């Protein structure tokens, strides 16, 4: 088990190198000159050259990459070209905000999505099921920014119950996390419905019923436990996505998260921050996947890692 | 006859149909069966004739809709079809329990064997966790699973098919049921394992004084286990007889076909075999033939077989045939 975890962690190294390689060269294909952007409109050609030299951008790309990897091996992600702060610090300042938003959103999504999917599967083709499935379809197809704006219009502008953006009290969390959760809740509900429909029609469910168990026990203990693997997969993947920062939501609600940091850095051609943020996101994503795999083994006795 | 020796289970006019998009499937169509205390009743017939649906109807394990169950299922004097949900749940796994065909899929893969057996015990007997677990280990020992204590903590995937079916039997018998519905309990197993399981069931049936409805394709098993046999065709009973008489003197052409006693080139019945192939196919349940349902495949049809359903002719106690050949004999 421990061995498995270590092996999995080690295997992230080549993946991260792969990501960094792609990222590094793609960034350098972007139009626009970072030195120019940083120096500003009024800068002289000399200023620009100086900044270019400072950033090491005057060397060949492959040299830049090797230097970058060398620093990475020492866990040094460099400094932001814009603020001169260490990249780690920049990312670290935003990460908790994104975690908070993602955590609340995924909790909301599970809290509503899983029960909705179960109800739908237990009473298929009834009005309740149609309500759940059509709401889910709505949730999946609704553009995030539109939903965000609508929520702002209703709850901030018209009712004035909740702030329209920014961070502060728990009230600030509600609208962006609901916006984020909408898609995920719909996705989880649909997944739960289809897997529960399947497990409820399996032989072991009939066996459970043939023993005289209460229907709630049959549904939760026998059917749901078997349906958990695909549900956990979806929850894990969605959580991983949310960690990457929900760019649109964070923009609509002026939420200082990882997604906005990445977008701002791209606009400013702040290469070190972009690279650092995306690498850390990649690492988190891999970690979430590892945790999901470990939960599998806990839920399903047929899965063992040793 | 005293009350005690009356039938344990009396099924009268059982009609189970499924409302599907293609139409109504009459899976069981007017079935009358009696099961006595301590006996093993064999239920045989080709695939799709309604054996499983009959068993599932008794415990009302078919989701309604699409299923619709009519008739009377009297168990110890109570009509199971009149019970409310809680009432039928008290019967399931308690007085009547069921063993299914597929040991590989009928145990829950994410719960331990012990949990699956002891939850049944806790449901029906007033037992604590500890008591139920102890009883479960005893049951596993009774069905001859080696190392019952450690096995009870294992998950089904660690057990072979035969072992799983033993666990199913332990589960089914754990609450001392009066009636055991065994739906092809050995069909999915190797021949040698089949024999072991059957011997085990025969022994435990005596020990627990239970009655068994044994559904099977295997005439050898019927000959060995059952005292009486009901032969079904397309949702109806075609013949009922004590097991010896059925083998010696089958009256319905369908039964004769199953037993292979109709001379067909290159085939001989030599006892203890699976059901023989009968030329032709089982009728489509959505379009049952007019008259006798067996007429398209019957080698001895008469004009009336195509027009009217044959009546059930009582030849003796528990000796019934539904065929125009017998009906006409009677009239002569
Ligand atoms: N849920 C259902 N919906 C529609 N038709 C069904 C359903 N379940 C069973 N049937 C039909 O009822 C008929 C009887 O099926 P049943 O499973 O009882 O056959 P069987 O005698 O047990 O066959 P086998 O030997 O293959 O197990 C078949 O024609 C089948 O297609
Ligand atoms: Mg069957």
């Amino acid at each position: 088990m421990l061995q498995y975890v270590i092996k999995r962690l080690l295997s992230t190294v080549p993946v991260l190198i792969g990501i960094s390689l792609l990222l590094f060269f793609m960034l350098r294909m972007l139009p626009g000159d970072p030195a120019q952007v940083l120096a500003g409109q009024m800068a002289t050609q000399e200023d620009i050259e100086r900044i270019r030299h400072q950033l090491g951008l005057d060397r060949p790309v492959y040299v830049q990459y090797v230097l970058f990897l060398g620093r990475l091996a020492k866990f040094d992600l460099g400094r932001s070209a814009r603020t001169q702060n260490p990249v780690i610090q920049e990312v670290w300042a935003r990460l908790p905000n994104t975690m908070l938003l993602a955590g609340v959103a995924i909790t909301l999504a599970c809290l509503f999505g899983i029960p909705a999917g179960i109800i739908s599967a237990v009473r298929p083709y009834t009005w309740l099921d149609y309500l759940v499935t059509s709401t889910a379809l709505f949730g999946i197809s609704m553009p995030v920014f539109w939903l965000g704006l609508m929520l702002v219009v209703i709850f901030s502008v018209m009712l004035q119950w909740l702030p329209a953006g920014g961070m502060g009290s728990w009230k600030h969390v509600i609208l962006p996390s609901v916006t984020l959760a909408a898609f995920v809740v719909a996705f989880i509900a649909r997944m739960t419905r289809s897997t529960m429909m399947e497990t409820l029609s399996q032989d072991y469910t009939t066996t459970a019923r043939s023993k005289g168990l209460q229907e709630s026990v049959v549904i939760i203990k026998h059917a749901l436990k078997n349906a958990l693997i695909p549900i956990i997969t979806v929850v894990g993947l969605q959580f991983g996505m949310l960690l990457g920062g929900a760019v649109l939501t964070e923009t609509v609600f002026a939420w200082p998260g990882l997604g906005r940091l990445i977008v701002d850095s791209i606009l400013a051609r702040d290469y070190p921050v972009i690279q650092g943020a995306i690498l850390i996101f990649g690492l988190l994503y891999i970690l979430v996947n590892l945790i999901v795999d470990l939960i599998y083994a806990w839920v399903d006795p047929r899965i063992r890692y040793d | 006859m005293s009350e005690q020796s009356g039938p344990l289970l009396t099924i009268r006019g059982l009609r189970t149909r499924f409302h599907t998009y293609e139409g109504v499937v009459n899976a069981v169509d007017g079935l009358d069966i009696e099961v006595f205390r301590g006996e093993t009743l064999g239920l045989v017939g080709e695939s799709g004739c309604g054996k499983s649906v009959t068993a599932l109807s008794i415990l009302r394990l078919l989701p309604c809709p699409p299923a619709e169950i009519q008739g009377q299922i009297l168990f110890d004097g109570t009509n199971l079809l009149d019970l409310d949900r809680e009432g039928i749940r008290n019967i399931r796994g308690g007085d009547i329990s069921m063993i299914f065909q597929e040991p590989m899929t009928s145990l829950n893969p994410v719960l331990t064997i012990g949990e699956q057996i002891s939850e049944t015990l806790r449901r029906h007997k007033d037992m604590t966790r500890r008591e139920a677990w102890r009883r479960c280990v005893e049951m596993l020992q009774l069905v001859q699973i080696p190392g019952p204590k450690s096995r009870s903590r294992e998950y089904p995937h660690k057990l072979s098919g035969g072992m799983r079916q033993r666990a199913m039997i332990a589960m089914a018998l754990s609450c001392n049921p009066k009636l055991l519905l065994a739906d092809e309990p050995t069909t999915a197993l190797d021949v040698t394992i089949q024999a072991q399981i059957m011997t085990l069931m025969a022994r435990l049936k005596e020990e627990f004084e239970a009655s068994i409805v044994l559904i099977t394709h295997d005439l050898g098993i019927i000959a060995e286990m059952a005292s009486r046999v009901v032969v079904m065709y397309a949702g109806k009973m075609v013949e009922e007889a004590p097991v010896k008489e059925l083998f010696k003197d089958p009256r319905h052409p369908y039964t004769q076909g199953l037993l292979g006693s109709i001379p067909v080139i290159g085939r001989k019945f030599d006892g203890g075999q699976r059901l023989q192939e009968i030329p032709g196919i089982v009728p489509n349940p959505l379009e049952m033939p007019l008259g006798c349902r067996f007429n398209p495949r019957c080698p001895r049809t008469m004009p009336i077989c195509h027009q009217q359903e044959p009546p059930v002719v009582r030849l003796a106690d528990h000796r019934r045939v539904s065929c125009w050949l017998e009906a006409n004999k009677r009239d002569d």
Side-chain angles (χ1 to χ4, degrees):
Chain A
M1 178 75 174
L2 189 67
Q3 247 178 352
Y4 173 78
V5 173
I6 293 171
K7 234 187 333 191
R8 280 285 297 265
L9 287 177
L10 284 180
S11 74
T12 61
V13 174
V15 176
L16 287 176
I17 291 179
I19 295 175
S20 71
L21 193 66
L22 265 177
L23 191 64
F24 203 86
F25 289 97
M26 273 163 70
L27 274 182
R28 274 144 188 86
M29 286 193 291
L30 278 181
D33 180 355
Q36 170 87 64
V37 175
L38 273 171
Q41 296 288 324
M42 314 296 285
T44 62
Q45 194 59 36
E46 238 166 75
D47 291 334
I48 295 173
E49 285 306 328
R50 194 167 35 82
I51 291 174
R52 199 191 308 283
H53 181 70
Q54 267 177 9
L55 296 178
L57 293 174
D58 49 352
R59 307 211 192 162
V61 177
Y62 62 88
V63 176
Q64 291 180 37
Y65 182 67
V66 172
L67 288 175
F68 169 74
L69 270 192
R71 285 198 302 268
L72 195 61
K74 288 180 275 178
F75 299 101
D76 176 10
L77 287 170
R79 285 175 179 272
S80 160
R82 255 191 319 168
T83 63
Q84 297 304 318
N85 291 330
V87 168
I88 280 285
Q89 198 177 317
E90 294 274 339
V91 172
W92 214 239
R94 305 296 190 94
L95 196 59
N97 301 345
T98 290
M99 290 266 212
L100 175 69
L101 209 55
V104 173
I106 205 79
T107 310
L108 280 180
C110 291
L111 237 46
F112 289 92
I114 295 175
I118 294 174
I119 290 170
S120 220
V122 171
R123 301 254 174 282
Y125 313 116
T126 58
W127 67 268
L128 213 57
D129 179 30
Y130 290 129
L131 183 71
V132 170
T133 45
S134 49
T135 312
L137 190 64
F138 194 62
I140 282 193
S141 32
M142 203 159 29
V144 171
F145 64 89
W146 182 82
L147 175 67
L149 289 176
M150 281 301 125
L151 289 176
V152 168
V153 167
I154 296 171
F155 292 98
S156 310
V157 179
M158 285 163 65
L159 297 170
Q160 306 213 327
W161 286 351
L162 297 166
M167 261 194 80
S169 68
W170 58 270
K171 280 188 173 175
H172 288 86
V173 188
I174 297 180
L175 289 186
S177 56
V178 167
T179 306
L180 265 190
F183 175 83
V184 186
V185 81
F187 205 76
I188 291 176
R190 280 164 56 134
M191 192 65 183
T192 305
R193 179 182 186 271
S194 63
T195 30
M196 280 296 285
M197 293 268 269
E198 199 177 310
T199 54
L200 279 170
S201 66
Q202 295 293 316
D203 289 350
Y204 53 75
T205 308
T206 309
T207 307
R209 290 208 175 97
S210 81
K211 298 195 289 190
L213 302 177
Q214 297 292 332
E215 195 57 21
S216 56
V217 177
V218 174
I219 292 168
I220 306 289
K221 184 174 171 183
H222 287 261
L224 180 61
K225 191 148 191 237
N226 275 283
L228 276 183
I229 293 261
I231 296 175
I232 290 169
T233 310
V234 168
V235 172
L237 288 179
Q238 290 295 322
F239 185 62
M241 300 298 281
L242 294 182
L243 279 184
V247 176
L248 286 174
T249 311
E250 291 185 355
T251 308
V252 170
F253 292 97
W255 186 268
L258 211 54
R260 277 226 0 249
L261 177 67
I262 294 177
V263 173
D264 291 349
S265 307
I266 291 176
L267 292 178
R269 298 291 184 276
D270 191 345
Y271 290 170
V273 175
I274 306 174
Q275 288 159 4
I278 291 185
L279 275 183
I280 286 181
F281 165 57
L283 185 65
L284 283 176
Y285 195 82
I286 292 169
L287 280 183
V288 169
N289 270 297
L290 175 60
I291 292 170
V292 165
D293 282 352
L294 295 181
I295 295 177
Y296 282 171
W298 175 64
V299 170
D300 191 334
R302 286 165 296 185
I303 301 172
R304 282 282 166 268
Y305 307 115
D306 36 35
Chain B
M1 257 193 242
S2 75
E3 193 56 39
Q4 266 313 96
S5 57
L8 176 67
L9 181 78
T10 308
I11 296 178
R12 282 199 204 120
L14 177 67
R15 223 170 275 278
T16 304
R17 49 184 148 211
F18 295 96
H19 298 274
T20 67
Y21 289 115
E22 289 91 50
V24 178
V25 175
N26 291 299
V28 177
D29 200 0
L31 191 68
D32 299 295
I33 294 182
E34 284 176 333
V35 182
F36 291 88
R37 285 163 215 277
E39 80 164 341
T40 298
L41 176 74
L43 197 56
V44 294
E46 280 167 302
S47 192
C49 71
K51 307 180 298 287
S52 298
V53 170
T54 302
L56 293 169
S57 298
I58 295 173
L59 280 178
R60 286 172 38 195
L61 284 169
L62 297 163
C64 304
E68 184 192 345
I69 309 174
Q70 288 174 340
Q72 273 191 326
I73 300 175
L74 297 169
F75 179 73
D76 253 351
T78 359
N79 187 355
L80 299 182
L81 296 184
D82 287 343
L83 291 175
D84 60 10
R85 283 160 191 255
E86 186 57 25
I88 190 70
R89 273 200 292 264
N90 288 334
I91 298 279
R92 293 178 188 159
D95 279 344
I96 306 180
S97 57
M98 192 154 175
I99 300 175
F100 299 91
Q101 175 172 349
E102 278 297 334
M104 302 317 257
T105 54
S106 41
L107 286 167
N108 194 323
V110 300
L111 298 174
T112 59
I113 301 287
E115 176 57 27
Q116 294 186 58
I117 296 177
S118 60
E119 74 175 343
T120 320
L121 283 159
R122 292 201 306 274
R123 166 69 179 84
H124 293 284
K125 309 272 171 195
D126 195 18
M127 283 189 184
T128 62
R129 259 180 185 277
R130 183 182 289 256
E131 287 165 347
W133 200 273
R134 196 176 307 140
R135 178 77 188 129
C136 152
V137 173
E138 278 171 28
M139 288 304 303
L140 290 179
Q141 189 146 30
L142 218 58
V143 295
Q144 296 162 347
I145 289 185
K149 228 181 190 132
S150 57
R151 284 297 185 186
S152 65
R153 270 182 244 106
E154 268 169 17
Y155 291 90
H157 71 276
K158 294 259 177 105
L159 274 63
S160 66
M163 283 299 153
R164 286 187 215 193
Q165 204 57 311
R166 283 171 195 268
M168 273 299 281
I169 293 172
M171 193 157 85
L173 290 177
S174 61
C175 297
N176 284 310
K178 295 177 186 161
L179 178 63
L180 187 62
L181 305 172
D183 189 356
E184 312 200 26
T186 59
T187 308
L189 304 174
D190 290 349
V191 182
T192 45
I193 311 285
Q194 277 186 16
Q196 291 170 13
I197 297 282
M198 276 303 155
T199 316
L200 177 74
M201 279 185 62
R203 204 193 78 220
L204 290 178
K205 171 190 158 274
E206 295 303 322
E207 210 167 313
F208 283 76
E209 296 174 343
S211 310
I212 299 180
V213 173
L214 181 63
I215 297 172
T216 177
H217 280 126
D218 193 323
L219 288 171
I221 287 175
I222 288 290
E224 217 162 287
M225 298 276 296
S227 46
R228 293 189 307 120
V229 187
V230 167
V231 183
M232 282 180 76
Y233 185 77
K236 285 182 173 291
M237 181 215 71
V238 291
E239 183 157 6
E240 176 190 355
V243 69
K244 287 208 181 83
E245 283 182 48
L246 189 88
F247 279 99
K248 203 169 61 197
D249 181 22
R251 295 295 179 87
H252 198 286
Y254 177 64
T255 318
Q256 293 164 0
L258 286 182
L259 295 175
S261 57
I262 297 174
V264 168
I265 297 161
R267 190 179 83 190
K268 244 173 106 184
F269 178 67
D270 48 322
Q273 293 187 338
R274 298 180 73 81
L275 297 190
Q276 296 286 341
E277 294 268 330
I278 300 174
I281 51 161
V282 183
N284 178 349
L286 291 167
E287 300 164 50
M288 287 294 180
L290 220 58
C292 174
R293 291 178 178 186
F294 187 56
N295 80 54
R297 300 167 73 187
C298 184
R300 300 166 69 185
T301 45
M302 302 172 291
I304 193 162
C305 300
H306 296 278
Q307 290 147 11
Q308 266 184 34
E309 281 200 37
V312 175
V313 181
R314 262 182 79 92
L315 305 173
D317 259 7
H318 307 300
R319 188 83 174 89
R320 295 182 296 164
V321 186
S322 173
C323 178
W324 281 114
L325 290 168
E326 290 296 328
N328 287 347
K329 258 192 231 162
R330 283 282 159 129
D331 292 342
D332 292 345

